[in-house]
Amino acid sequence: MCGIIGVISKNDEKKLATITVQCLERLEYRGYDSVGVASMEGNELEVRKAKGRIDEVVKRLNILSMTGRVFLGHTRWATHGEPNDINAHPHTDCTNSIAVVHNGTIKNFRELREDLESLGHKFKSETDTEVIPHLVEEFKKRGMDSFSAFKSAINSIQGSYAVLAIIKGENKIYFAKKDNPLIIGLGDKMNFISSDIPSFLPYTNKVLILIDGDVGYITPDEIYIENEGKKVNVLDRIKIITWDASAASKEGYAHYMLKEIHESPRAVDDTISGLISDIEDVKNAIKILEESKRIIIIAAGTSYHAGLYFSLLLQREGFNAIPVIASEYYNIKTNQEDSILAISQSGETYDVMMALKEFKANGSKIISLTNVIDSAIARQSDVKLYTRAGPEIGVAATKTFTSQIAALQFLYSLIKGDDYTYLNKAKDVIRRSLDFEGEAKLIGEELSAKSNAYYLGRGLSLPFAMEGALKIKEITYLHAEAYAAGESKHGPIALVEKDFPVVFINLGELVGELQNNVQEMKARKAKTYAISVNERLNTDKEILLTVEDERLSPFAVTPIIQLIAYYSAVKRGNDPDKPRNLAKTVTVG
């Protein structure tokens, strides 16, 4: 996920650079690896870009001194190519006549790049985005006008995109949208096009929200849109925004956490696409894992639960896979025959970093799975794998956890020799699960009135029970504990009394055993709940989810776990985005 902005003015605006930077600052939550700006004045096109946060890059490159009537801006969250000056957007063609900014993932960029290189095109970066200006350049070489060349370039790419392009000497910003947000802002002698409304809201509240398949251009006084080759009536799409900038940045959701839960289908889909794109790195990771005597999976918090799930899958295949809580790493002595899988959303988790330092000194091979390209943990690794969840504003991990599960299940499928294409349906399973948001809300609101709760599961369900209990603790401040359901008889059941809430997680396996555990709790008059896949546990309240392939069960259950915690926190009057005593990244021991 990146932030893009285009600004075009009828006047020779010396303030346009300032306006562009201010728009970018309101988009920085979408990515902050690098920043870039392109400006065009007459027949001169200039690009300034660098790795770093907006305020630092703007000052260092003196971006506010840039002039012109057309500006593009980009703040990046890296998905292809490490964060550095060269990989920063905008990207240009061979002649530096076309500048492009892009938010999304181009699945077929390697094939396109090879084709373009065979035609003599020279690439500067490692990014997928750079194929777009070269495609436009190539189609213009073949005699197409600029708009036709841009449309042909867009038709050549596969994946998700919000694309803006400017061409030297043309007072237009070309655009195209598929799966990623893109909104036009209509101002006075000045128009905007951006990833998000708040970026330009101080300048205009008149907007036109683009839909998938839209392609067109804006000028200072014209909006032109086509969809499936037919011209769109622009006037039918214009709306007036009455929200403030804070509400607008959440796209209508009450909190970032809820927005990010609903972004999980796209995050999972982008993660799988990214791993397919990086398949050689994936194969290298699998080779290391398969040749190891022991696989040590090191992580903390939510990431540990993802790692525990992966370890259970591997153990069932006969691997010696050991999940380790990162802060307890000193209990494990590794050697050259061990491999380490380090899982961290931020790529900066202190405990994981300390563990890797020691394990690497012992000669162990390091594989990392992070959500931040070229993060500190990735730099320590022999093989770097990435989720593509995009930035997560809410402190409680939601779409990043779901993306980790997708990445680890992708790895497991390849290790087992399964066809991983079943994971292409994961996004649809998540969307269907989100249809049960109302039922999750009711359970969450009931739990909000309690002081304690148990989350129970068996087998592969246990890590998700642990994650459910953690989410409740993190944002609701309700005391919740997770146990293997069979272990509950060995002590925890002593606390169960009338209306004590017990939440069962049922991924569709060991159902008979779980049903026995439900009856044990009911016999003590507990209030029982279940999140079940395909087969009921017959609890007092139950959300029954249906999946055709039970390998996809985690993607049905996870959104419900998160929604229950979210609505419980909201009912208690807590801010789920900023839970007390917690930070997004733990960088101290």
Side-chain angles (χ1 to χ4, degrees):
M1 186 164 73
C2 303
I4 63 177
I5 180 70
V7 187
I8 188 164
S9 173
K10 200 161 192 175
N11 301 319
D12 187 6
E13 278 279 1
K14 291 186 178 180
K15 292 183 178 178
L16 222 56
T18 299
I19 291 172
T20 302
V21 168
Q22 290 172 344
C23 291
L24 280 174
E25 287 171 342
R26 297 183 192 96
L27 291 171
E28 194 168 22
Y29 79 91
R30 298 183 65 85
Y32 34 78
D33 292 330
S34 59
V35 184
V37 172
S39 67
M40 188 163 61
E41 186 170 23
N43 203 38
E44 296 298 318
L45 192 156
E46 181 183 12
V47 173
R48 300 185 193 181
K49 60 181 185 174
K51 177 183 176 180
R53 303 295 288 250
I54 290 173
D55 54 352
E56 184 269 326
V57 172
V58 167
K59 186 180 295 184
R60 175 156 52 94
L61 300 186
N62 197 18
I63 286 175
L64 295 180
S65 69
M66 297 173 73
T67 59
R69 297 186 184 184
V70 187
F71 271 75
L72 296 184
H74 188 278
T75 181
R76 183 175 186 236
W77 181 268
T79 58
H80 290 86
E82 68 179 64
N84 59 30
D85 293 355
I86 294 172
N87 289 332
H89 296 217
H91 290 287
T92 58
D93 65 322
C94 295
T95 63
N96 294 317
S97 300
I98 301 161
V100 168
V101 293
H102 165 229
N103 171 34
T105 304
I106 300 173
K107 296 180 179 179
N108 62 333
F109 84 98
R110 293 188 191 278
E111 300 96 308
L112 291 171
R113 179 169 177 151
E114 288 172 4
D115 290 344
L116 288 161
E117 286 176 331
S118 72
L119 294 169
H121 289 263
K122 304 296 182 185
F123 284 76
K124 309 180 196 73
S125 78
E126 303 168 291
T127 68
D128 54 345
T129 300
E130 196 181 351
V131 299
I132 301 174
H134 287 282
L135 284 168
V136 176
E137 177 190 15
E138 181 61 32
F139 286 121
K140 281 177 68 68
K141 278 183 185 177
R142 298 177 188 180
M144 293 186 186
D145 63 79
S146 294
F147 189 34
S148 297
F150 178 76
K151 289 190 288 185
S152 295
I154 296 302
N155 289 335
S156 300
I157 63 178
Q158 299 168 8
S160 61
Y161 50 80
V163 177
L164 305 181
I166 56 176
I167 298 174
K168 186 184 288 189
E170 299 184 20
N171 201 31
K172 291 179 179 177
I173 299 175
Y174 297 98
F175 63 82
K177 180 210 179 304
K178 180 176 179 286
D179 295 331
N180 285 285
L182 203 53
I183 303 102
I184 293 172
L186 294 90
D188 181 20
K189 298 180 182 178
M190 181 188 301
N191 285 325
F192 301 82
I193 185 163
S194 175
S195 299
D196 211 348
I197 293 169
S199 62
F200 57 69
L201 200 52
Y203 311 106
T204 180
N205 66 344
K206 187 185 291 186
V207 307
L208 189 158
I209 298 173
L210 297 169
I211 64 173
D212 284 353
D214 281 350
V215 61
Y217 56 82
I218 65 172
T219 72
D221 47 20
E222 180 187 7
I223 310 294
Y224 179 83
I225 305 172
E226 289 181 7
N227 197 301
E228 295 184 349
K230 297 179 181 177
K231 185 178 178 181
V232 172
N233 185 345
V234 171
L235 296 177
D236 289 344
R237 297 254 201 106
I238 295 173
K239 296 181 179 179
I240 302 299
I241 296 298
T242 57
W243 323 320
D244 62 19
S246 174
S249 67
K250 296 171 187 146
E251 296 177 8
Y253 293 101
H255 298 94
Y256 281 110
M257 181 179 176
L258 185 59
K259 174 176 176 280
E260 287 158 359
I261 293 170
H262 281 265
E263 287 175 344
S264 295
R266 187 173 65 199
V268 165
D269 197 40
D270 286 348
T271 293
I272 298 301
S273 298
L275 290 169
I276 293 170
S277 177
D278 296 339
I279 196 66
E280 291 307 314
D281 290 328
V282 174
K283 288 178 179 177
N284 288 338
I286 289 171
K287 186 173 186 291
I288 290 171
L289 295 173
E290 290 179 333
E291 292 177 354
S292 303
K293 282 199 172 179
R294 294 189 304 175
I295 299 169
I296 311 300
I297 301 168
I298 190 98
T302 287
S303 295
Y304 173 76
H305 299 151
L308 176 60
Y309 172 69
F310 185 55
S311 74
L312 294 177
L313 291 173
L314 292 180
Q315 287 167 17
R316 291 183 176 192
E317 296 301 313
F319 288 89
N320 187 7
I322 304 170
V324 177
I325 295 171
S327 58
E328 296 288 306
Y329 73 90
Y330 40 75
N331 292 316
I332 294 288
K333 181 69 174 177
T334 67
N335 56 50
Q336 294 178 353
E337 295 182 317
D338 296 327
S339 63
I340 313 298
L341 174 60
I343 307 173
S344 167
Q345 295 147 21
S346 68
E348 307 285 342
T349 308
Y350 178 85
D351 296 326
V352 177
M353 296 268 292
M354 293 300 98
L356 293 192
K357 185 177 180 180
E358 179 162 325
F359 295 161
K360 197 166 186 177
N362 294 338
S364 303
K365 289 280 189 181
I366 310 294
I367 302 163
S368 62
L369 177 66
T370 72
N371 194 44
V372 181
I373 287 183
D374 200 39
S375 60
I377 288 172
R379 290 195 298 271
Q380 289 194 44
S381 306
D382 297 293
V383 178
K384 311 170 183 66
L385 303 178
Y386 298 105
T387 55
R388 262 78 175 189
E392 195 169 56
I393 306 301
V395 167
T398 53
K399 63 177 179 175
T400 51
F401 173 69
T402 317
S403 297
Q404 286 176 346
I405 295 297
L408 293 168
Q409 200 147 327
F410 182 86
L411 272 178
Y412 169 70
S413 297
L414 288 179
I415 289 170
K416 195 178 177 186
D418 287 348
D419 181 357
Y420 59 77
T421 55
Y422 75 94
L423 285 166
N424 292 333
K425 296 180 180 178
K427 62 181 182 296
D428 300 318
V429 171
I430 297 169
R431 289 189 182 109
R432 288 197 299 272
S433 180
L434 290 169
D435 289 340
F436 290 84
E437 184 169 349
E439 289 89 333
K441 181 174 185 285
L442 291 175
I443 293 175
E445 289 178 343
E446 282 193 18
L447 289 179
S448 73
K450 303 297 183 178
S451 300
N452 301 281
Y454 283 154
Y455 274 67
L456 303 182
R458 281 182 178 264
L460 297 177
S461 300
L462 179 57
F464 297 91
M466 295 169 70
E467 179 62 12
L470 177 63
K471 282 289 163 286
I472 285 284
K473 283 183 280 198
E474 282 182 316
I475 62 173
T476 302
Y477 318 145
L478 162 70
H479 177 239
E481 296 298 335
Y483 289 96
E487 183 68 9
S488 64
K489 300 189 294 293
H490 299 277
I493 201 168
L495 296 181
V496 176
E497 56 189 357
K498 183 174 173 27
D499 291 333
F500 187 103
V502 182
V503 182
F504 288 86
I505 308 300
N506 167 24
L507 290 185
E509 64 168 13
L510 304 169
V511 176
E513 290 86 345
L514 281 171
Q515 287 173 337
N516 289 338
N517 297 132
V518 170
Q519 292 310 311
E520 290 166 356
M521 293 298 165
K522 282 188 170 184
R524 276 81 180 172
K525 301 189 184 307
K527 181 67 178 286
T528 57
Y529 304 86
I531 307 166
S532 293
V533 174
N534 290 347
E535 191 171 349
R536 289 189 179 277
L537 295 183
N538 299 315
T539 52
D540 296 315
K541 285 196 173 180
E542 188 161 11
I543 296 176
L544 181 64
L545 307 158
T546 303
V547 297
E548 293 180 8
D549 188 333
E550 285 195 358
R551 292 175 296 179
L552 297 174
S553 294
F555 303 103
V557 165
T558 298
I560 302 298
I561 289 169
Q562 296 167 352
L563 288 167
I564 287 173
Y566 169 80
Y567 282 109
S568 183
V570 170
K571 182 68 173 178
R572 282 194 166 201
N574 301 343
D575 182 350
D577 290 339
K578 298 175 182 177
R580 67 190 184 199
N581 304 330
L582 296 178
K584 188 64 184 169
T585 303
V586 180
T587 56
V588 294

